[in-house]
Every structure is written in C-alpha cells, then in structure tokens.
Short mmCIF file of all heavy atoms in Angstrom, two decimals:
data_model
loop_
_atom_site.label_atom_id
_atom_site.label_comp_id
_atom_site.label_asym_id
_atom_site.label_seq_id
_atom_site.Cartn_x
_atom_site.Cartn_y
_atom_site.Cartn_z
N LEU A 1 0.81 -1.20 0.00
CA LEU A 1 0.00 0.00 0.00
C LEU A 1 0.85 1.26 0.00
O LEU A 1 0.57 2.22 -0.71
CB LEU A 1 -0.94 0.00 1.22
CG LEU A 1 -1.77 1.26 1.47
CD1 LEU A 1 -2.68 1.54 0.29
CD2 LEU A 1 -2.58 1.09 2.74
N TYR A 2 1.92 1.27 0.80
CA TYR A 2 2.70 2.48 0.99
C TYR A 2 3.96 2.55 0.15
O TYR A 2 4.77 3.45 0.31
CB TYR A 2 3.07 2.63 2.47
CG TYR A 2 1.87 2.66 3.37
CD1 TYR A 2 1.74 1.75 4.41
CD2 TYR A 2 0.86 3.58 3.17
CE1 TYR A 2 0.62 1.76 5.24
CE2 TYR A 2 -0.26 3.60 3.98
CZ TYR A 2 -0.37 2.69 5.01
OH TYR A 2 -1.47 2.70 5.83
N ARG A 3 4.16 1.61 -0.77
CA ARG A 3 5.40 1.62 -1.55
C ARG A 3 5.34 2.64 -2.68
O ARG A 3 6.38 3.06 -3.18
CB ARG A 3 5.67 0.24 -2.11
CG ARG A 3 4.78 -0.14 -3.29
CD ARG A 3 5.06 -1.52 -3.80
NE ARG A 3 4.17 -1.86 -4.90
CZ ARG A 3 4.10 -3.07 -5.43
NH1 ARG A 3 4.86 -4.03 -4.94
NH2 ARG A 3 3.28 -3.32 -6.42
N ASP A 4 4.16 3.03 -3.12
CA ASP A 4 4.01 3.95 -4.24
C ASP A 4 3.43 5.27 -3.73
O ASP A 4 2.49 5.28 -2.93
CB ASP A 4 3.09 3.35 -5.30
CG ASP A 4 3.01 4.21 -6.54
OD1 ASP A 4 3.88 4.05 -7.42
OD2 ASP A 4 2.10 5.06 -6.62
N PRO A 5 3.95 6.42 -4.19
CA PRO A 5 3.43 7.70 -3.70
C PRO A 5 1.97 7.94 -4.03
O PRO A 5 1.27 8.65 -3.30
CB PRO A 5 4.33 8.73 -4.39
CG PRO A 5 4.95 8.01 -5.55
CD PRO A 5 5.08 6.59 -5.10
N ARG A 6 1.48 7.33 -5.09
CA ARG A 6 0.07 7.53 -5.45
C ARG A 6 -0.86 6.82 -4.48
O ARG A 6 -1.88 7.39 -4.08
CB ARG A 6 -0.17 7.04 -6.88
CG ARG A 6 0.58 7.84 -7.93
CD ARG A 6 0.59 7.11 -9.26
NE ARG A 6 1.50 7.73 -10.20
CZ ARG A 6 2.82 7.54 -10.22
NH1 ARG A 6 3.37 6.74 -9.33
NH2 ARG A 6 3.57 8.13 -11.10
N THR A 7 -0.52 5.61 -4.09
CA THR A 7 -1.36 4.91 -3.12
C THR A 7 -1.28 5.58 -1.76
O THR A 7 -2.27 5.63 -1.03
CB THR A 7 -0.94 3.43 -3.02
OG1 THR A 7 0.47 3.35 -2.72
CG2 THR A 7 -1.20 2.70 -4.30
N ARG A 8 -0.09 6.09 -1.41
CA ARG A 8 0.02 6.82 -0.13
C ARG A 8 -0.82 8.08 -0.16
O ARG A 8 -1.54 8.39 0.80
CB ARG A 8 1.49 7.18 0.13
CG ARG A 8 2.38 6.00 0.44
CD ARG A 8 3.68 6.47 1.10
NE ARG A 8 4.41 7.39 0.26
CZ ARG A 8 5.35 7.03 -0.61
NH1 ARG A 8 5.66 5.75 -0.73
NH2 ARG A 8 6.01 7.93 -1.32
N LEU A 9 -0.76 8.82 -1.27
CA LEU A 9 -1.54 10.05 -1.39
C LEU A 9 -3.03 9.77 -1.35
O LEU A 9 -3.80 10.48 -0.69
CB LEU A 9 -1.17 10.76 -2.69
CG LEU A 9 -1.94 12.06 -3.00
CD1 LEU A 9 -1.71 13.10 -1.91
CD2 LEU A 9 -1.53 12.60 -4.36
N PHE A 10 -3.45 8.70 -2.02
CA PHE A 10 -4.87 8.35 -2.02
C PHE A 10 -5.35 8.02 -0.61
O PHE A 10 -6.42 8.45 -0.18
CB PHE A 10 -5.10 7.15 -2.95
CG PHE A 10 -6.53 6.67 -2.97
CD1 PHE A 10 -7.51 7.39 -3.62
CD2 PHE A 10 -6.88 5.50 -2.33
CE1 PHE A 10 -8.82 6.95 -3.63
CE2 PHE A 10 -8.18 5.06 -2.33
CZ PHE A 10 -9.15 5.79 -3.00
N ALA A 11 -4.55 7.26 0.13
CA ALA A 11 -4.91 6.91 1.51
C ALA A 11 -5.00 8.17 2.38
O ALA A 11 -5.92 8.30 3.19
CB ALA A 11 -3.89 5.94 2.10
N ILE A 12 -4.08 9.11 2.19
CA ILE A 12 -4.10 10.35 2.97
C ILE A 12 -5.34 11.17 2.64
O ILE A 12 -6.01 11.70 3.54
CB ILE A 12 -2.82 11.16 2.70
CG1 ILE A 12 -1.61 10.45 3.31
CG2 ILE A 12 -2.93 12.57 3.28
CD1 ILE A 12 -0.28 11.05 2.91
N LEU A 13 -5.67 11.30 1.36
CA LEU A 13 -6.85 12.07 0.96
C LEU A 13 -8.13 11.44 1.51
O LEU A 13 -9.03 12.15 1.99
CB LEU A 13 -6.94 12.15 -0.57
CG LEU A 13 -5.90 13.03 -1.26
CD1 LEU A 13 -6.01 12.90 -2.77
CD2 LEU A 13 -6.06 14.48 -0.85
N LEU A 14 -8.20 10.12 1.47
CA LEU A 14 -9.37 9.43 1.99
C LEU A 14 -9.52 9.69 3.49
O LEU A 14 -10.62 10.01 3.98
CB LEU A 14 -9.26 7.94 1.69
CG LEU A 14 -10.52 7.09 1.84
CD1 LEU A 14 -10.43 5.88 0.92
CD2 LEU A 14 -10.72 6.61 3.26
N LEU A 15 -8.43 9.59 4.23
CA LEU A 15 -8.48 9.79 5.68
C LEU A 15 -8.77 11.25 6.03
O LEU A 15 -9.49 11.52 6.99
CB LEU A 15 -7.17 9.33 6.31
CG LEU A 15 -6.91 7.82 6.26
CD1 LEU A 15 -5.54 7.49 6.83
CD2 LEU A 15 -7.99 7.05 7.01
N LEU A 16 -8.22 12.20 5.26
CA LEU A 16 -8.50 13.61 5.51
C LEU A 16 -9.98 13.92 5.31
O LEU A 16 -10.59 14.65 6.10
CB LEU A 16 -7.65 14.49 4.59
CG LEU A 16 -6.19 14.71 4.98
CD1 LEU A 16 -5.48 15.54 3.92
CD2 LEU A 16 -6.10 15.41 6.33
N THR A 17 -10.55 13.37 4.24
CA THR A 17 -11.97 13.59 3.97
C THR A 17 -12.82 12.98 5.07
O THR A 17 -13.81 13.58 5.53
CB THR A 17 -12.35 12.98 2.61
OG1 THR A 17 -11.46 13.46 1.61
CG2 THR A 17 -13.77 13.38 2.23
N LEU A 18 -12.46 11.79 5.51
CA LEU A 18 -13.19 11.13 6.59
C LEU A 18 -13.10 11.94 7.87
O LEU A 18 -14.12 12.14 8.57
CB LEU A 18 -12.62 9.73 6.80
CG LEU A 18 -13.26 8.87 7.90
CD1 LEU A 18 -14.73 8.67 7.63
CD2 LEU A 18 -12.54 7.53 8.00
N LEU A 19 -11.92 12.45 8.20
CA LEU A 19 -11.74 13.27 9.40
C LEU A 19 -12.55 14.55 9.32
O LEU A 19 -13.16 14.98 10.31
CB LEU A 19 -10.25 13.58 9.59
CG LEU A 19 -9.88 14.42 10.81
CD1 LEU A 19 -10.26 13.69 12.10
CD2 LEU A 19 -8.39 14.73 10.81
N LEU A 20 -12.57 15.17 8.15
CA LEU A 20 -13.33 16.41 7.98
C LEU A 20 -14.82 16.17 8.20
O LEU A 20 -15.50 16.96 8.88
CB LEU A 20 -13.08 16.96 6.58
CG LEU A 20 -13.83 18.24 6.20
CD1 LEU A 20 -13.43 19.39 7.11
CD2 LEU A 20 -13.58 18.59 4.74
N CYS A 21 -15.35 15.10 7.63
CA CYS A 21 -16.78 14.78 7.81
C CYS A 21 -17.10 14.52 9.29
O CYS A 21 -18.15 14.94 9.78
CB CYS A 21 -17.16 13.58 6.96
SG CYS A 21 -17.12 13.88 5.19
N LEU A 22 -16.21 13.83 9.98
CA LEU A 22 -16.43 13.57 11.40
C LEU A 22 -16.44 14.88 12.20
O LEU A 22 -17.29 15.06 13.09
CB LEU A 22 -15.33 12.65 11.93
CG LEU A 22 -15.45 11.17 11.58
CD1 LEU A 22 -14.17 10.42 11.96
CD2 LEU A 22 -16.64 10.54 12.29
N CYS A 23 -15.52 15.78 11.89
CA CYS A 23 -15.48 17.07 12.61
C CYS A 23 -16.75 17.86 12.37
O CYS A 23 -17.32 18.45 13.31
CB CYS A 23 -14.26 17.87 12.16
SG CYS A 23 -12.68 17.18 12.71
N ILE A 24 -17.21 17.90 11.12
CA ILE A 24 -18.44 18.64 10.81
C ILE A 24 -19.61 18.04 11.55
O ILE A 24 -20.46 18.76 12.10
CB ILE A 24 -18.68 18.64 9.29
CG1 ILE A 24 -17.61 19.48 8.58
CG2 ILE A 24 -20.07 19.19 8.97
CD1 ILE A 24 -17.70 19.44 7.08
N LEU A 25 -19.67 16.71 11.58
CA LEU A 25 -20.78 16.04 12.27
C LEU A 25 -20.77 16.33 13.76
O LEU A 25 -21.82 16.43 14.40
CB LEU A 25 -20.70 14.53 12.01
CG LEU A 25 -21.88 13.69 12.49
CD1 LEU A 25 -23.15 14.10 11.77
CD2 LEU A 25 -21.60 12.21 12.25
N ILE A 26 -19.58 16.47 14.35
CA ILE A 26 -19.48 16.77 15.78
C ILE A 26 -19.83 18.23 16.06
O ILE A 26 -20.48 18.55 17.06
CB ILE A 26 -18.06 16.44 16.27
CG1 ILE A 26 -17.82 14.93 16.22
CG2 ILE A 26 -17.85 16.95 17.70
CD1 ILE A 26 -16.39 14.53 16.49
#
C-alpha cells in the first residue's frame, strides 16, 4: 500500500476527507 506515492496520497486524501466529515458532524 505504501510503496508507491500515489497509493500513499490516495490513503491520505481518503483519511483527511473522513476526518473532515467527522469534525463537521461533531
């Protein structure tokens, strides 16, 4: 998962979006 910069970037974007939605919901 983390060997390629694209998969790392995708995982970071997914987690950032998830965190943002959680913050808004709170």
Side-chain angles (χ1 to χ4, degrees):
L1 174 60
Y2 302 124
R3 75 181 179 188
D4 186 86
R6 295 166 190 80
T7 54
R8 291 197 301 268
L9 178 60
F10 178 74
I12 291 171
L13 289 174
L14 195 153
L15 292 176
L16 281 177
T17 308
L18 180 59
L19 180 62
L20 178 63
C21 292
L22 283 170
C23 290
I24 292 175
L25 188 62
I26 293 172

